[in-house]
Amino acid sequence: MSHGHQYFYFIGVSTVQSSINQVFPLWMDVLDHSHVQLLGIDHPINDAPDAYRSTVKKIKEDSQALGGLVTTHKLDLYAATSNLFDYLDRYAQITQELSCISKRDGQLRGHAKDPITAGLSLEAIIGENYFGQTGGDVLCLGAGGAAQATLLYLMNRPNPADRPKTFIAVDITEERLTHLQAMVQAQKSDIEVQYFCNTHPEDNDRLLSNLPDHSVVINATGMGKDIPGSPITDSAIFPKNGIVWEFNYRGAREFLHQASRQIELRDLQVEEGWVYFIHGWTQVIFEVLNLQMTPSLFAELDRVAASVRK
């Protein structure tokens, strides 16, 4: 196909460091869209609403801009720009966040793809009936967009055996927990959600030590990537036969290393964020480019991406 250049925007914090910069052009070749280029836009965390509005207006008004993916700023971007959109999907309205911006028939459209991404990624890790078979709970460190998406996905699972009895959400800011609680109260669910505002890693260690065996422990804080450190200390003990899921796929990832040191001792299954990264990007790209995903196409995109992974 011969087109002039078109642009796919990537809104984040340190976009130049992302693996997507190497992967994206290869994916465009596979999808026969090599005229589409990736453009990163960096905002500091919790940027001014006007800064987010100018970025979204730029995408809206530029005829060569197809749309884009939002990371880190999903909640703030929604709060600042939702009234600029002609359409917001159901998940965007429920979660009040935006991870995907697309254009269709002259309309600017906003989507929250994370519940789908979280679901696809979690299914790949735990399989069916996991909670029914094991009685494990979920401890999610960090209560931002990724945490919210994971909880929303679990709440919407039709089979009770695919839902944990308890989901423990932890964050360093009350604001995020309040936002999560509002979402939970608006949904009907039998999952008991507990909220903890912890600023000290030692408090998270205590929550870890109280988990039943087979529990799923998630690092959704961004620590180890966007900000240094880990939400737990080196003294933390993971639940026996637990599943540990580090959402980050790059960076120092101290949490991942803490869990990895206990794999044999505690019989842990330790997963990192690569699968989430692939699902997250492909979900958004396919929405923006108006393409249909197939299992064989996903496998090919995964293979191509793995080939350039550092």
Side-chain angles (χ1 to χ4, degrees), residues 206-222:
R206 275 193 285 282
L207 290 175
L208 262 186
S209 65
N210 292 329
L211 291 171
D213 293 353
H214 302 281
S215 287
V216 179
V217 183
I218 299 170
N219 178 27
T221 62

Side-chain angles (χ1 to χ4, degrees), residues 118 122 126 131 135-156 162-171 176-177 180-181 183-184 189-196 207 211-212 215-220 245 247:
L122 193 58
I126 67 174
F131 298 104
D137 289 336
V138 177
L139 170 61
C140 189
L141 302 162
Q148 187 170 260
T150 304
L151 177 55
L152 187 58
Y153 166 76
L154 289 168
M155 290 166 80
N156 283 315
D162 288 326
R163 303 194 295 266
K165 287 197 169 50
T166 308
F167 184 103
I168 303 161
V170 184
D171 206 277
R176 283 220 182 108
L177 293 164
L180 187 68
Q181 196 166 9
M183 184 204 82
V184 169
S189 176
D190 57 357
I191 298 174
E192 183 201 346
V193 184
Q194 300 175 1
Y195 307 89
F196 291 91
L207 290 175
L211 291 171
S215 287
V216 179
V217 183
I218 299 170
N219 178 27
W245 190 12
F247 271 5

Side-chain angles (χ1 to χ4, degrees), residues 99-158:
S99 63
C100 171
I101 300 169
S102 72
K103 290 170 160 181
R104 199 85 79 244
D105 304 322
Q107 286 195 320
L108 189 71
R109 295 150 51 93
H111 320 259
K113 292 291 185 187
D114 280 17
I116 300 164
T117 297
L120 291 165
S121 307
L122 193 58
E123 278 173 36
I125 290 169
I126 67 174
E128 289 186 4
N129 305 321
Y130 180 83
F131 298 104
Q133 285 167 359
T134 65
D137 289 336
V138 177
L139 170 61
C140 189
L141 302 162
Q148 187 170 260
T150 304
L151 177 55
L152 187 58
Y153 166 76
L154 289 168
M155 290 166 80
N156 283 315
R157 296 295 276 153

Side-chain angles (χ1 to χ4, degrees), residues 68-71 74 77 97-101 110-114 284:
L69 176 140
V70 184
T71 179
K74 295 162 193 173
L77 193 101
E97 64 168 61
L98 285 169
S99 63
C100 171
I101 300 169
H111 320 259
K113 292 291 185 187
D114 280 17
V284 173

Side-chain angles (χ1 to χ4, degrees), residues 60-77:
K60 185 172 187 168
E61 290 158 12
D62 180 359
S63 62
Q64 287 175 293
L66 298 170
L69 176 140
V70 184
T71 179
T72 310
H73 308 286
K74 295 162 193 173
L75 293 165
D76 290 333
L77 193 101

